[in-house]
Amino acid sequence: MTIEEASKFFKNLVTETDETSEIKVYKKFISILSQLESRGLSEDQLRAIESKLDAFDIDIPRENRKKYYNKRLSEFITYLKKEFSLISEGYYMTIGMSLGMSLGMSLGMTFGVVFCGSNGLIYGMTFGMTIGMSLGLAIGAAMDANAKKENKVLSVKCK
């Protein structure tokens, strides 16, 4: 199944349902597929993507369509990330914030207890988490900006 055929298929599914959450899944697929079409991929890359779409068997009627296509969407995004280094918007910022909070909290607890005794535990943890989250967000935002410059970002938002 070509990217264009898959896009038409999901556009057709949008018209067949009234369920908002189901429509969001289809629109996310459509958005990603249209971005891939306009990306100027090589023939080999297009064939790889099309074979992945074929492997999903998306054109076979399903009983619980939303659940099935939502799972396939997650698999497709993971595939694009692994094979083509394409990431979703805010990917690095999310990771940076999580790591920053974790490391900041543990370091804050350690230094809070060392410098302020048992009363410093809460203050150190709070301060460390805030500083760690801020640093993680800043580093993640810089990495996201760099990925955007390299044209490695896919918008997964539905339009």
Side-chain angles (χ1 to χ4, degrees), residues 95-136:
I95 291 174
M97 184 176 64
S98 303
L99 288 174
M101 280 176 46
S102 301
L103 291 173
M105 194 178 333
S106 60
L107 289 174
M109 284 181 359
T110 304
F111 289 118
V113 170
V114 168
F115 293 118
C116 301
S118 62
N119 291 338
L121 181 66
I122 300 296
Y123 298 121
M125 193 168 64
T126 305
F127 183 71
M129 185 172 65
T130 305
I131 297 298
M133 184 176 70
S134 301
L135 287 173

Side-chain angles (χ1 to χ4, degrees), residues 4 16 30 36-37 40 47 50 53 74 81 84 96 98 100-101 104-105 113 117 123 127 141 147 155:
E4 188 177 323
E16 290 179 6
I30 293 166
L36 289 173
E37 269 184 317
R47 273 196 295 273
E50 289 169 356
L53 289 171
S74 296
K81 185 175 131 201
F84 301 102
S98 303
M101 280 176 46
M105 194 178 333
V113 170
Y123 298 121
F127 183 71
S155 175

Side-chain angles (χ1 to χ4, degrees), residues 3 7-8 10 13 21 25 29 32-34 47 53 55 58 60 63 70 94 96 101 106 112 123 127-128 135 144 153:
I3 293 175
S7 185
K8 285 180 184 176
F10 284 110
L13 286 178
S21 58
V25 173
F29 247 119
I32 290 172
L33 292 170
S34 67
R47 273 196 295 273
L53 289 171
I58 57 175
I60 296 174
E63 213 167 288
N70 201 16
T94 304
M101 280 176 46
S106 60
Y123 298 121
F127 183 71
L135 287 173
D144 278 334
V153 178

